[in-house]
Amino acid sequence: MWWEGMTEETPEHTVDWLRRSWTPDAGRPAAHPNSRFTAPAGQCPVIAPEWEDPKGVPIDAILFGGRRASVVPLVTEAEDWKQGTFLGSIMASEKTAAASGVKGDIRRDPMAMLPFCGYHMGDYFAHWLKVGEKGGDKMPKIFYVNWFRKSPEGKFLWPGFAENSRVLKWIFERCNGTAEAVDTPIGKVPAEGALDTDGLDVGEADLKELLRVDTEGWKAEIPSIKEHYETFGDKLPGGLREELGELEKRLG
């Protein structure tokens, strides 16, 4: 196996990703510029034995997430499938200085699918809404996570990595109907004490900030969301415009 740019010895001849003959003198990369190293999922030691069951496997929750230093709480549960689709459609991350030249610049990537969706994203959103209408109460819960919220001093408030399992625990408990949540203009967030913090080195003030819904920050997001939606033209489902309007009302 040859990993372009990583393997010391370059092959004298191979076939590139467009099935063209390739040599080190070709003057072009052999791999697709967005290529990834992959391995069979079956090699994962903790994969569920039912993962290839032809009857399918039940899905209890779908998680969306962006990289945001502010505004977006640690975890939010959508009120229903339609609102969850809305949250997925406005997913955003802050570009790094390397990507944009200016930190804090927002890039919206609905459901992390812009580079991969094979048809118009407006039709993709409509497909999600149609599936939700068909599935009714059987549809999975939708959550929005953000591991990257920072303090005003620029410090990450959440340790991330293995500690993210604490958020997953709350999500599992919400699916089982055993965890408490409080309503906010953007959805449900963990109630005080609902997130398992036993042994966690996060101060009470930081935890409150992690779960705080920044109403003014969300109001400031509205013009950006509207501009984002305009890029889909007439293909944008009316249901998502309705969700945006409802969010504006709740924010006041």
Side-chain angles (χ1 to χ4, degrees), residues 42-54:
Q43 292 184 8
C44 176
V46 295
I47 199 165
E50 308 91 349
W51 80 285
E52 284 189 310
D53 191 327

Side-chain angles (χ1 to χ4, degrees), residues 41-116:
Q43 292 184 8
C44 176
V46 295
I47 199 165
E50 308 91 349
W51 80 285
E52 284 189 310
D53 191 327
K55 295 180 294 185
V57 294
I59 297 174
D60 295 306
I62 294 175
L63 276 63
F64 293 128
R67 185 184 180 96
R68 299 296 302 272
S70 62
V71 182
V72 180
L74 176 65
V75 58
T76 309
E77 177 189 342
E79 294 289 343
D80 52 31
W81 181 264
K82 185 180 173 187
Q83 192 202 21
T85 302
F86 167 74
L87 290 176
S89 76
I90 64 169
M91 251 179 64
S93 292
E94 292 170 12
K95 297 179 183 177
T96 63
S100 68
V102 181
K103 286 186 179 179
D105 190 14
I106 299 297
R107 181 180 67 87
R108 296 200 182 270
D109 185 0
M111 301 161 179
M113 281 298 294
L114 275 183
F116 310 107

Side-chain angles (χ1 to χ4, degrees), residues 182 190-195 204 208:
V182 293
E192 185 174 353
L195 200 63
E204 185 176 341
K208 285 185 177 181

Side-chain angles (χ1 to χ4, degrees), residues 161-179:
F161 300 103
E163 304 299 354
N164 294 345
S165 61
R166 297 172 184 272
V167 175
L168 296 180
K169 180 183 178 185
W170 180 79
I171 289 173
F172 298 155
E173 290 170 347
R174 286 297 297 167
C175 292
N176 293 335
T178 59

Side-chain angles (χ1 to χ4, degrees), residues 93-213:
S93 292
E94 292 170 12
K95 297 179 183 177
T96 63
S100 68
V102 181
K103 286 186 179 179
D105 190 14
I106 299 297
R107 181 180 67 87
R108 296 200 182 270
D109 185 0
M111 301 161 179
M113 281 298 294
L114 275 183
F116 310 107
C117 190
Y119 56 108
H120 197 286
M121 286 301 298
D123 291 330
Y124 186 75
F125 298 151
H127 186 190
W128 270 72
L129 294 174
K130 183 177 180 180
V131 168
E133 291 172 0
K134 184 178 180 180
D137 294 339
K138 295 181 179 180
M139 297 305 293
K141 289 180 176 290
I142 296 179
F143 297 85
Y144 196 116
V145 297
N146 175 32
W147 316 123
F148 304 99
R149 195 158 182 173
K150 292 183 177 180
S151 68
E153 296 74 34
K155 174 194 171 191
F156 283 114
L157 296 172
W158 183 251
F161 300 103
E163 304 299 354
N164 294 345
S165 61
R166 297 172 184 272
V167 175
L168 296 180
K169 180 183 178 185
W170 180 79
I171 289 173
F172 298 155
E173 290 170 347
R174 286 297 297 167
C175 292
N176 293 335
T178 59
E180 295 296 322
V182 293
D183 292 317
T184 78
I186 64 168
K188 299 177 185 294
V189 301
E192 185 174 353
L195 200 63
D196 187 344
T197 59
D198 186 32
L200 182 67
D201 186 21
V202 174
E204 185 176 341
D206 285 349
L207 191 61
K208 285 185 177 181
E209 179 63 19
L210 278 163
L211 298 176
R212 182 176 69 90
V213 174

